[in-house]
C-alpha cells in the first residue's frame, strides 16, 4: 500500500508533464526552446510544471486573437479606410513594397496618410500640446499607456481629461495593471470615474489569471487619440521624467513622441478601442458594445503634408510575430546606413546575425543605447552581444545624458520604425507593442537629425577596451542573457 501511495505524486507529475510536453510539440517552438522546457518539465518535479503554467505560453489565447482580428476588420470597414499609395522613392523598391504587404496581411492595416507628423522630445512641451488637444476634444478621448504615474506634470493632463468628461466627452483610460500601479493606488481613478471617465486595468495581474495565461504579459503601448482626429504614439509613458524613478541614479528618462493627424489616426483609434473592448468586455463582444462606442466615419481628412505610414500592433494577441519579422527583414534590406536606438538591447541570434551581416557588407551600422539602465540585470544581459557586434564593425554608442528610452530604427533614408518596441525578446513576443512604419524620406531625415542629437552626450565603445573587462562580467552577461525574456 505504501509504495502505491508514494507513486501517486510521481504519476500526477508525470501525467502533467506529458500533457505540457504534447502542447509544446504542437506549438512548434524553436528546437532549443522546446528542449529546454522538456528538461524543466521532466527534470524538476512539480516546479517544472508550475513554471510552464506561469511562463510557458506567451499567447493570450485563440479567442482573443480571433476577436482582435474581427474588431480591427470591423473598424476599418466602419471608418471606410482607403489605402494610400506609397511615395515614389518607396514604390519602386521591391523590398519596401513587400514589407508593406506583409504588415497588411498580419495586422489588417494598409499604408495610410499621416498629415504633417510632429516629434516631441521635451516632456513639458509634449504634455502641454496633449493637454491642448484634450481640452479641444468634443466627442472622444482614448488614452492607452503602459505606465501612468499621476505625479508632476501628468496631473495636468489627467485634469484635462476630467474636464473633458465633465463637458460630455466620451473618455477612456486603458492602463497596464502592473506598470500603472502608482495611478491605480492614487486618488485619481475615483476622481476621474466620478467625472464619467471609463477606466480599465489592462492585462490584470492576479493569482487566478495566472492559471489561464502567462502572468507577466504586459500592455506596453503608449497611445492617445482625440476625436479620432489627432493621435500620439511613441516611447513616452505618461510619467513626469523629472520625478519618475528619480532615485535610480540613471538621470531623467529621454524619450520621443509623435503627434499626427489624418487617415492614419483611424488605425490608431482601432487599436485603442479594440484593446479597450477586449480588456473591459472580454471575448463575448456584442453589437450593443460596439454601438456604445463613439465611432464614426471621418468627414474630413484635414490639412497638412501627407506622409505614408503604417500602423503595426504586435504581441501575444497576434497570429504571427510580425514586428520581429519586419525588424529582421529591415536590417537585412539596409544598403547604406542603419541606426537603432533602444534602451533594452538584447538581440537574439537572428537579429544579431542580421546586424553582423549588414556591417560586413559595408552598411554603416550604429546602435545607440543608454550607458546606465534602471535594471542591472538587463544591463548585463544587453552587454553579452557587444563583443561580436564590435568585431563585425558595428558602432556601439552609449548615451550618458540620462536613461535613453527612445525606440527607433532607421533604414537608409527611406524607412523608419518608430514606437514602443525594444530590441529584445520581451518586446518581440511577450508585450503588446505599437510601431509606426514610416515610408518617407523627409521624415527619415528629421528622425536621423533628432537621434543625432544624442551623439554629443554619447561615447562610442572601443573594441579593445571592451575586450579587457573582467571575466566575471562576461560570465554574468552570458548567464543573464538566458533570462532576457523576463527582464
Amino acid at each position: 500500500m505504501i509504495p502505491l501511495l508514494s507513486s501517486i505524486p510521481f504519476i500526477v507529475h508525470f501525467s502533467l508533464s506529458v500533457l505540457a510536453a504534447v502542447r509544446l510539440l504542437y506549438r512548434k517552438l524553436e528546437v532549443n526552446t522546446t528542449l529546454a522546457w522538456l528538461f524543466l518539465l521532466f527534470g524538476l518535479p512539480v516546479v517544472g510544471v508550475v513554471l510552464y503554467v506561469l511562463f510557458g505560453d506567451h499567447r493570450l489565447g485563440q479567442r482573443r486573437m480571433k476577436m482582435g482580428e474581427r474588431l480591427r476588420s470591423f473598424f476599418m470597414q466602419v471608418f471606410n479606410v482607403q489605402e494610400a499609395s506609397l511615395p515614389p522613392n518607396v514604390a519602386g523598391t521591391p523590398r519596401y513594397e513587400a514589407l508593406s504587404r506583409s504588415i497588411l496581411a498580419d495586422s489588417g492595416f494598409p499604408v495610410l496618410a499621416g498629415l504633417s507628423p510632429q516629434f516631441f522630445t521635451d516632456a513639458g512641451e509634449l504634455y502641454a500640446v496633449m493637454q491642448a488637444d484634450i481640452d479641444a476634444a468634443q466627442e472622444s478621448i482614448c488614452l492607452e499607456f503602459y505606465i501612468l504615474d499621476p505625479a508632476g506634470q501628468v496631473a495636468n493632463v489627467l485634469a484635462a481629461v476630467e474636464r473633458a468628461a465633465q463637458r460630455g466627452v466620451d473618455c477612456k483610460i486603458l492602463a497596464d495593471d502592473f506598470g500603472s500601479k502608482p495611478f491605480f493606488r492614487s486618488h485619481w481613478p475615483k476622481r476621474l470615474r466620478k467625472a464619467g471617465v471609463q477606466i480599465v486595468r489592462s492585462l490584470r495581474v492576479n493569482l487566478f489569471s495566472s492559471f489561464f495565461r502567462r502572468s507577466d504579459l504586459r500592455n506596453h503601448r503608449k497611445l492617445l487619440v482625440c476625436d479620432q482626429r489627432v493621435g500620439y504614439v511613441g516611447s513616452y509613458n505618461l510619467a513626469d521624467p523629472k520625478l519618475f524613478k528619480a532615485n535610480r541614479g540613471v538621470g531623467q528618462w529621454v524619450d520621443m513622441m509623435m503627434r499626427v493627424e489624418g487617415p492614419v489616426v483611424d488605425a490608431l483609434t482601432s487599436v485603442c478601442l479594440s484593446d479597450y473592448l477586449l480588456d473591459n468586455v472580454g471575448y463575448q463582444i456584442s453589437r450593443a458594445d460596439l454601438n456604445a462606442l463613439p465611432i464614426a466615419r471621418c468627414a474630413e481628412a484635414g490639412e497638412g503634408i501627407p506622409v505614408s505610414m503604417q500602423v503595426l500592433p504586435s504581441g501575444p494577441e497576434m497570429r504571427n510575430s510580425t514586428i520581429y519579422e519586419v525588424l529582421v527583414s529591415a536590417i537585412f534590406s539596409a544598403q547604406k546606413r542603419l541606426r537603432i536606438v533602444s534602451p533594452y538591447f538584447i538581440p537574439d541570434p537572428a537579429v544579431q546575425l542580421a546586424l553582423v551581416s549588414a556591417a560586413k557588407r559595408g552598411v554603416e551600422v550604429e546602435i545607440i543605447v543608454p550607458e546606465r539602465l534602471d535594471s542591472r540585470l538587463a544591463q548585463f544581459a544587453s552587454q553579452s552581444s557587444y563583443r561580436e557586434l564590435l568585431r563585425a564593425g558595428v558602432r556601439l554608442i552609449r548615451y550618458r545624458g540620462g536613461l535613453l528610452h527612445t525606440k527607433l530604427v532607421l533604414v537608409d533614408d527611406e524607412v523608419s520604425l518608430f514606437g514602443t518596441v525594444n530590441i529584445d525578446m520581451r518586446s518581440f513576443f511577450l508585450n503588446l507593442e505599437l510601431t509606426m512604419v514610416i515610408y518617407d524620406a523627409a521624415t527619415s531625415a528629421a528622425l536621423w537629425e533628432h537621434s543625432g542629437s544624442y551623439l554629443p552626450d554619447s561615447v562610442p565603445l572601443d573594441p579593445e577596451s571592451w575586450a579587457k573587462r573582467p571575466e566575471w562580467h562576461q560570465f554574468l552577461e552570458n548567464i543573464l542573457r538566458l533570462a532576457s525574456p523576463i527582464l
Side-chain angles (χ1 to χ4, degrees):
M1 185 67 177
I2 294 177
L4 178 60
L5 290 175
S6 63
S7 67
I8 291 178
F10 171 78
I11 293 173
V12 172
H13 162 69
F14 185 78
S15 300
L16 292 175
S17 297
V18 169
L19 289 174
V22 171
R23 176 167 174 76
L24 267 172
L25 294 175
Y26 274 94
R27 288 174 59 198
K28 297 181 179 178
L29 301 176
E30 292 185 5
V31 173
N32 290 343
T33 302
T34 302
L35 291 176
W37 274 117
L38 290 175
F39 172 79
L40 289 175
L41 287 170
F42 292 100
L44 297 178
V46 181
V47 176
V49 175
V50 172
L51 288 174
Y52 183 78
V53 170
L54 294 177
F55 303 112
D57 197 340
H58 66 265
R59 295 293 177 188
L60 284 171
Q62 291 287 325
R63 294 173 65 193
R64 176 159 180 148
M65 180 188 71
K66 292 178 180 178
M67 180 55 72
E69 291 175 344
R70 291 173 60 188
L71 286 172
R72 290 191 295 273
S73 175
F74 167 79
F75 287 127
M76 289 294 93
Q77 292 177 16
V78 170
F79 300 152
N80 191 32
V81 168
Q82 301 294 323
E83 183 171 4
S85 59
L86 287 171
N89 65 306
V90 174
T93 309
R95 63 184 185 277
Y96 295 143
E97 286 187 297
L99 188 69
S100 67
R101 288 197 300 270
S102 173
I103 294 171
L104 172 62
D106 280 347
S107 72
F109 295 134
V111 175
L112 300 171
L115 302 178
S116 300
Q118 299 171 267
F119 294 92
F120 295 88
T121 56
D122 179 78
E125 183 182 4
L126 170 66
Y127 293 149
V129 176
M130 277 185 171
Q131 184 179 332
D133 280 326
I134 292 171
D135 282 331
Q138 298 179 358
E139 297 177 1
S140 64
I141 295 168
C142 188
L143 294 94
E144 180 175 2
F145 284 88
Y146 172 58
I147 295 175
L148 204 171
D149 188 333
Q153 301 174 78
V154 175
N156 297 329
V157 178
L158 294 178
V161 175
E162 181 183 39
R163 292 192 298 271
Q166 289 171 341
R167 66 175 181 267
V169 177
D170 183 283
C171 297
K172 294 177 172 60
I173 292 179
L174 183 64
D176 183 79
D177 192 29
F178 179 81
S180 296
K181 285 180 181 178
F183 171 71
F184 290 117
R185 291 173 177 172
S186 72
H187 70 282
W188 276 103
K190 182 178 180 181
R191 175 175 165 178
L192 290 168
R193 286 191 178 105
K194 185 177 180 181
V197 180
Q198 303 163 68
I199 299 175
V200 175
R201 293 175 182 261
S202 182
L203 300 184
R204 281 180 173 269
V205 179
N206 56 57
L207 181 62
F208 179 75
S209 65
S210 297
F211 290 100
F212 298 96
R213 65 170 173 81
R214 187 167 168 164
S215 58
D216 65 333
L217 302 180
R218 302 272 47 91
N219 185 342
H220 198 236
R221 291 170 181 159
K222 291 94 174 169
L223 175 63
L224 166 64
V225 178
C226 297
D227 277 350
Q228 204 176 316
R229 177 185 61 84
V230 56
Y232 291 81
V233 64
S235 63
Y236 261 102
N237 285 296
L238 209 56
D240 191 328
K242 294 181 179 179
L243 303 174
F244 183 66
K245 293 188 177 182
N247 60 346
R248 292 294 184 91
V250 295
Q252 290 190 24
W253 289 46
V254 178
D255 280 291
M256 196 183 300
M257 202 78 168
M258 178 176 71
R259 180 189 186 275
V260 67
E261 299 184 29
V264 75
V265 180
D266 288 332
L268 294 175
T269 304
S270 301
V271 172
C272 202
L273 291 180
S274 296
D275 289 345
Y276 168 81
L277 287 171
L278 290 167
D279 274 311
N280 187 48
V281 179
Y283 307 147
Q284 302 299 325
I285 297 170
S286 66
R287 174 59 63 174
D289 296 317
L290 296 174
N291 290 338
L293 297 175
I295 55 177
R297 183 179 303 175
C298 289
E300 299 179 2
E303 299 179 356
I305 300 173
V307 172
S308 298
M309 55 182 69
Q310 206 165 7
V311 173
L312 173 55
S314 59
E317 64 175 356
M318 305 294 287
R319 192 175 296 277
N320 299 309
S321 302
T322 312
I323 185 58
Y324 179 66
E325 298 171 10
V326 166
L327 177 68
V328 173
S329 298
I331 296 172
F332 273 118
S333 73
Q335 296 183 348
K336 297 177 182 178
R337 58 177 182 163
L338 174 74
R339 176 179 286 167
I340 294 177
V341 183
S342 177
Y344 306 102
F345 177 79
I346 313 175
D348 77 326
V351 174
Q352 186 146 326
L353 174 63
L355 291 169
V356 168
S357 174
K360 286 182 176 179
R361 66 176 183 268
V363 177
E364 296 178 8
V365 182
E366 290 182 339
I367 298 171
I368 307 176
V369 296
E371 184 176 54
R372 291 177 295 172
L373 284 175
D374 56 329
S375 167
R376 290 292 291 165
L377 299 180
Q379 181 90 56
F380 278 108
S382 176
Q383 292 171 180
S384 65
S385 64
Y386 289 1
R387 186 176 182 180
E388 183 180 352
L389 293 172
L390 289 169
R391 283 180 172 177
V394 173
R395 290 191 71 216
L396 275 161
I397 303 168
R398 305 177 89 177
Y399 179 76
R400 291 180 167 180
L403 199 160
L404 181 59
H405 195 246
T406 301
K407 299 94 163 50
L408 178 64
V409 178
L410 298 173
V411 184
D412 293 329
D413 298 309
E414 290 84 20
V415 173
S416 312
L417 277 63
F418 176 80
T420 69
V421 175
N422 294 304
I423 309 300
D424 64 8
M425 302 302 286
R426 170 163 288 280
S427 274
F428 295 155
F429 301 108
L430 302 181
N431 290 339
L432 300 183
E433 305 281 5
L434 185 62
T435 302
M436 303 296 290
V437 183
I438 306 171
Y439 309 90
D440 182 68
T443 304
S444 287
L447 288 171
W448 275 100
E449 183 177 354
H450 278 303
S451 57
S453 68
Y454 301 141
L455 298 179
D457 292 321
S458 304
V459 176
L461 271 185
D462 175 60
E464 293 184 5
S465 299
W466 183 250
K468 295 177 182 178
R469 69 196 187 285
E471 287 291 338
W472 71 268
H473 273 211
Q474 300 180 45
F475 178 75
L476 187 59
E477 290 163 4
N478 292 329
I479 290 294
L480 289 174
R481 183 181 179 85
L482 301 177
S484 61
I486 60 175
L487 294 178

